[in-house]
Amino acid sequence: MRKPSKFLVATMIAALALGLVAGCGTSGTSGTANQAPVKKIKIGFSLPTLKEARYPIDKDSFVKAAQDLGAEILVQTANNDETLQKSQVEDLITQGINVLVLDPQNAVSAADLVNEAHNAKIKVISYDRLIMNADVDAYVSFDNEKVGELQGEYITKQVAKGNYFVFAGAPTDNNATLFKKGAMKFIQPLVDKGDIKVLFDQPVPDWDPAKAMTMAENALTANKNNVNAILAPNDGTAGGIIQALAEQKLAGKVVVTGQDSELAGIKRIVAGTQSMTVFKDVRTEAQETAKLAVEMAKGQAPTLNSKVNNQKIDVPSLLLTPIVVTKDNIDKVLVDSGWFTKAQVYGN
Ligand code: BGC
């Protein structure tokens, strides 16, 4: 055998010192220099919009929690445009994500994206809104029917007899169906009894506050302002509806519901123009989802607390609990939990 040249010996010594020669060094724990570097888990997070005030909180909480768990996060937001969301998700798929966390703009057409992700061996978590008719791997949300029940219970307690306008959220969002279903459990029996008259009953496309405002203006005109209670599915639409009421000097005289505990909604509650909202701590929702996504990327099978049927399968689900917020418990629920400071709520 030829003696190794001086140059080769020197190179090998240098390489040994750096721990770069295969087979040398310590035993094979992951991350040591004698193994291929461990690939970071990559998670794609696709949101339908950042318009409602909650979404930047979802996004920041998710990114922070997933990064703390060592994952790399790619975020996309789709401006309420399902075509844009489709191309953004397809882009995430080509970037080699391990798990896709998808809050769908359109609950039905998003099923195609689940199939595309699965074809690329990517697991899919349906975030906040359920993707229908697809083999979704997991679902994290709140008990959305309960959200509607909280709204319905509150509004019927305040106005047990009278004229109602019933607004629902976007028809493309399965949550909107559940919110309305929950609320109608309380409203419908009183309609059947003849105590409540529903004078208006329509969904708001894309949850758009400006559309909600126009719809409320038209409904007020058509009914000569004769309304006692308005079921608004979230704070954004409540804002538009309350503007329409204000034009008629009716703000504060009509009971209006909401959801999300947005600062603008809370300020309206303090001012007396909105009657209630629902608090969903989306920080927890995002953190739990990040944890779940990392576990799924590692091939673990997490145990979840529920199953929700999406017309194809019973999706293993984690459902968190929503809380009613009125003037009386803003401090306890929102200030004590660090959602808002007192200055934010009561300051100018
Ligand atoms: C969410 C609500 C939100 C609404 C509009 C729903 O799916 O659960 O929190 O207000 O979408 O974005």
Side-chain angles (χ1 to χ4, degrees):
M1 203 174 105
R2 276 186 59 193
K3 261 177 83 181
S5 73
K6 267 192 193 157
F7 173 74
L8 186 57
V9 170
T11 314
M12 282 187 72
I13 289 169
L16 274 167
L18 290 167
L20 294 177
V21 178
C24 73
T26 52
S27 64
T29 51
S30 68
T32 55
N34 62 337
Q35 286 190 331
V38 178
K39 262 192 144 181
K40 247 194 173 183
I41 290 166
K42 250 195 209 178
I43 300 169
F45 189 50
S46 169
L47 285 171
T49 175
L50 284 180
K51 270 185 195 142
E52 277 80 21
R54 62 164 285 177
Y55 292 110
I57 305 171
D58 290 67
K59 176 171 152 275
D60 293 348
S61 310
F62 185 85
V63 169
K64 164 125 193 8
Q67 279 174 348
D68 286 351
L69 293 167
E72 181 185 340
I73 321 302
L74 306 174
V75 181
Q76 294 284 5
T77 59
N79 203 21
N80 281 326
D81 177 343
E82 70 176 274
T83 315
L84 178 60
Q85 186 169 47
K86 181 172 157 61
S87 67
Q88 289 177 335
V89 167
E90 284 168 348
D91 188 47
L92 289 173
I93 291 173
T94 62
Q95 291 192 59
I97 52 171
N98 306 97
V99 177
L100 169 67
V101 177
L102 175 56
D103 187 347
Q105 167 64 18
N106 185 316
V108 174
S109 65
D112 291 344
L113 297 175
V114 176
N115 295 334
E116 288 182 41
H118 280 171
N119 288 341
K121 308 231 173 328
I122 297 165
K123 296 242 188 276
V124 182
I125 301 176
S126 197
Y127 182 73
D128 197 70
R129 303 174 175 173
L130 186 59
I131 302 163
M132 304 305 285
N133 249 304
D135 293 312
V136 178
D137 298 287
Y139 176 45
V140 181
S141 190
F142 286 81
D143 180 340
N144 292 306
E145 202 167 315
K146 178 80 187 170
V147 170
E149 287 170 13
L150 296 176
Q151 294 169 331
E153 185 178 13
Y154 180 89
I155 199 169
T156 51
K157 263 201 190 134
Q158 301 299 311
V159 181
K161 278 188 184 177
N163 293 339
Y164 271 53
F165 292 172
V166 171
F167 287 76
T172 45
D173 177 357
N174 181 61
N175 283 348
T177 311
L178 298 174
F179 300 147
K180 182 162 181 200
K181 184 174 172 206
M184 291 315 286
K185 280 189 193 165
F186 289 84
I187 298 171
Q188 193 60 47
L190 298 175
V191 173
D192 296 343
K193 243 173 101 182
D195 289 348
I196 287 176
K197 270 206 193 99
V198 176
L199 302 176
F200 168 96
D201 187 354
Q202 275 179 40
V204 181
D206 288 337
W207 294 90
D208 184 344
K211 286 184 186 142
M213 179 174 162
T214 310
M215 290 161 76
E217 285 168 348
N218 293 339
L220 286 167
T221 308
N223 294 287
K224 303 194 169 57
N225 287 351
N226 210 347
V227 64
N228 307 104
I230 302 184
L231 181 76
N234 72 347
D235 290 346
T237 52
I241 291 163
I242 290 165
Q243 255 179 281
L245 288 171
E247 285 165 4
Q248 303 301 316
K249 310 237 175 321
L250 287 176
K253 297 190 177 136
V254 177
V255 171
V256 182
T257 60
Q259 162 182 199
D260 284 341
S261 293
E262 287 187 7
L263 188 56
I266 295 302
K267 283 187 174 292
R268 287 191 296 267
I269 292 178
V270 171
T273 56
Q274 184 173 323
S275 316
M276 61 84 80
T277 184
V278 175
F279 178 49
K280 301 187 299 184
D281 196 335
V282 300
R283 297 170 301 189
T284 311
E285 185 182 18
Q287 286 156 3
E288 290 296 330
T289 308
K291 218 161 73 191
L292 180 63
V294 170
E295 284 169 357
M296 282 168 59
K298 289 182 177 163
Q300 296 162 357
T303 40
L304 300 172
N305 70 358
S306 198
K307 286 208 184 296
V308 180
N309 189 277
N310 72 349
Q311 288 167 10
K312 181 163 193 199
I313 57 165
D314 286 333
V315 184
S317 304
L318 174 65
L319 297 183
L320 305 168
T321 307
I323 302 172
V324 169
V325 176
T326 64
K327 261 217 269 310
D328 301 331
N329 66 352
I330 290 177
D331 289 6
K332 187 164 162 277
V333 177
L334 302 180
V335 177
D336 291 357
S337 68
W339 186 250
F340 293 130
T341 61
K342 265 203 171 186
Q344 282 176 303
V345 174
Y346 301 104
N348 294 315

